[in-house]
Amino acid sequence: MSAMLDFDAALARLLSGATPVRECETLPTQATAGRILAQGLRSTLDVPPLDNTSMDGYALRCADVPGAGTQLAVAQRIPAGSVGHVLAGGTAARIFTGAPLPAGADAVVMQESCTVEVLAAGVRLSAAHLGVAASVGAAELSVFRRLRVALFSTGNELAMPGEALRPGGIYNSNRYTLRALLEGLGCEVADLGIVPDSREATRAALREAAAGNDLILTSGGVSVGEEDHVKPAVEAEGALDLWQIAIKPGKPLAFGRVMRSGIHADGAAAFIGLPGNPVSSFVTFVMLVRPFILKAQGASNVKPRVQQLRADFECKGDPRREFLRARINAQGDLELFANQSSGVLTSCTWADGLVDNPPRQAIGRGDTVRFLPFAELL
C-alpha cells in the first residue's frame, strides 16, 4: 500500500474489482440511449425489405445500355415510400434515395449483404444504435439497470455556489463536475453533499452511502494530511485495495470497498476516492472511474480510442505518467494549455483532450504523441 502503482496496474486493479450489474429491465427503445444492451438484438426482417437505391438517379437494365451515349425514355418516377411497376425494356425510372428498385432494374445499386445480428450485447447504445433497432422493428430492448452511485465531497473549506464564502473558503466545483460526468454515463446519483473534515462524520457518510448503492465516489480527503480522513474511514468501514498512483495529476486516488449493514447487509459497495484538486478529480474520473463504471454497467468495451498526433510544443517529462491538457490547432497539431496546474479547471474547458505521456518522456516539437480526445472520454 505504501508504493505508488503505475497507471496500467492501477486501472487493471480497478477493473478487476468492477462487478457488472446483473439485473435487467425492458424499456422502450427510445428511452435506452446511453444504456448497456443486456441481450443481443436479432433482426426478424431484412433491412431494407426490398432492394433500394442509396442515391438519386435512374434505375435501368444493364443490357439496355451497350455503351456511352445510350438514350432511354424515362417511363416512371419512384420517390421514397412508393413502389414502381415492372421496368419495361429500353426505359429507365427516375428514382430517389431510399426507394425500392422496380422489378427488372439492375443498375442503380448492388444488393447489400446483411448480417443476422444487428446489435451485440454489451454495446453502449447511441442514437444511431437506437435507429438501427427501430429500423428492424424493435419496440423494446433489454438493458442492464442503471448503476447506483453515491457522491459526496469532504472539506470544511467547501461552500456551495450561492452561499457567501468564508475566509479561506472555496466553492465546491467537484460536486458539479462529478455529478454531470456520472449522469452522462447514465448513473443514478445519490448526492450526499459536503461532509465535514471529521473521522466520524466521514464514517457515517460512508455507511449511508453504502446502503443501496453500487459505488461510492468521493472527492478530497484522500491525501496524507491530518485533516484527510477518507482513507482511515474506509479502512474502518471496509477495506482499501489501492492508494496512490504514479500519475500526474491525480496521485492520491483510493480504491476499495465499504461494507453494508442493517437491511442492506448484502456485501459491499465499491469505493473510489478522488483527489480534491479539480483537474486531478476530472482527469482521474475520465481515465479510471469511467472505465470502472462502464465495466460495472456491463459494457464490453471500456478503452478509449487513441489518436497519434504531432506535438506543437515542448515538454521536459515527469517521473510520473502525465495527462496533459491539449487542443488541436489550425494546422492539426497539438498545443498545450499554458498552465498545467491541477487547480486550473479552465484547462479542461479549453482543451480538446489529454496527451498521454509516459514517465520521464521528454516531448520535442514535431514528436508524435498519444492523444485521447474528450469525445472518447466523456
Side-chain angles (χ1 to χ4, degrees):
M1 292 294 294
S2 60
M4 289 190 293
L5 291 177
D6 66 25
F7 175 84
D8 292 326
L11 179 58
R13 188 170 296 183
L14 261 70
L15 292 180
S16 69
T19 303
V21 298
R22 296 302 178 193
E23 301 92 339
C24 301
E25 52 188 347
T26 299
L27 299 175
T29 298
Q30 196 169 14
T32 59
R35 303 293 291 275
I36 306 300
L37 192 63
Q39 298 178 5
L41 175 65
R42 293 180 177 273
S43 174
T44 59
L45 51 86
D46 292 332
V47 179
L50 300 171
D51 292 340
N52 69 0
T53 176
S54 60
M55 66 188 76
D56 294 348
Y58 297 87
L60 46 80
R61 301 171 186 263
C62 288
D64 289 338
V65 185
T70 301
Q71 293 185 340
L72 299 174
V74 178
Q76 55 181 306
R77 184 177 186 275
I78 313 173
S82 63
V83 179
H85 51 76
V86 176
L87 188 67
T91 68
R94 181 74 171 103
I95 195 165
F96 298 88
T97 301
L101 294 183
D106 59 6
V108 176
V109 292
M110 295 178 64
Q111 181 176 345
E112 297 179 354
S113 60
C114 300
T115 58
V116 175
E117 187 170 82
V118 294
L119 295 176
V123 67
R124 187 180 179 210
L125 296 168
S126 68
H129 292 120
L130 270 58
V132 170
S135 74
V136 297
E140 296 179 329
L141 297 174
S142 175
V143 294
F144 291 111
R145 69 160 172 82
R146 296 184 185 274
L147 203 69
R148 294 186 285 265
V149 182
L151 173 67
F152 66 84
S153 306
T154 67
N156 292 335
E157 76 280 12
L158 297 178
M160 291 300 296
E163 299 176 352
L165 279 180
R166 301 181 303 275
I170 59 172
Y171 286 120
N172 185 6
S173 62
N174 286 348
R175 184 178 187 182
Y176 288 76
T177 302
L178 295 176
R179 179 163 184 163
L181 289 168
L182 289 168
E183 290 176 342
L185 288 172
C187 299
E188 289 183 5
V189 181
D191 191 339
L192 304 186
I194 300 171
V195 174
D197 281 328
S198 155
R199 184 76 52 87
E200 286 307 314
T202 305
R203 290 186 63 178
L206 289 171
R207 290 192 295 269
E208 179 185 356
N213 290 298
D214 305 297
L215 170 65
I216 303 168
L217 183 66
T218 69
S219 66
V222 292
S223 193
V224 294
E226 293 181 4
E227 298 300 321
D228 293 313
H229 300 291
V230 172
K231 179 177 180 286
V234 172
E235 291 173 326
E237 297 294 331
L240 204 59
D241 299 325
L242 181 156
W243 183 57
Q244 294 194 339
I245 305 174
I247 61 174
K248 182 181 181 181
K251 171 184 171 183
L253 180 141
F255 172 62
R257 56 193 179 277
V258 175
M259 302 306 296
R260 300 188 180 101
S261 59
I263 60 173
H264 299 287
D266 57 348
F271 168 82
I272 301 178
L274 302 182
N277 281 334
V279 177
S280 299
S281 181
F282 178 85
V283 169
T284 50
F285 184 98
V286 298
M287 295 305 304
L288 292 163
V289 180
R290 178 183 179 274
F292 176 93
I293 287 175
L294 289 176
K295 182 178 178 183
Q297 289 173 328
S300 56
N301 180 28
V302 303
K303 293 183 178 181
R305 287 174 291 188
V306 179
Q307 296 181 7
Q308 301 288 334
L309 296 180
R310 179 184 178 274
D312 191 17
F313 62 88
E314 296 179 349
C315 180
K316 293 181 179 179
D318 190 90
R320 290 178 282 168
R321 184 168 174 177
E322 290 184 284
F323 295 98
L324 306 168
R325 277 76 70 207
R327 72 179 180 188
I328 302 172
N329 62 23
Q331 290 71 45
D333 301 328
L334 291 172
E335 56 183 348
L336 284 188
F337 190 75
N339 188 344
Q340 291 288 317
S341 168
S342 60
V344 184
L345 190 57
T346 49
S347 65
C348 298
T349 63
W350 175 92
D352 295 324
L354 302 173
V355 172
D356 179 4
N357 194 40
R360 298 179 176 85
Q361 178 67 56
I363 299 174
R365 199 176 303 274
D367 289 349
T368 299
V369 297
R370 288 166 47 89
F371 182 66
L372 301 166
F374 284 147
E376 288 289 314
L377 299 175
L378 301 179

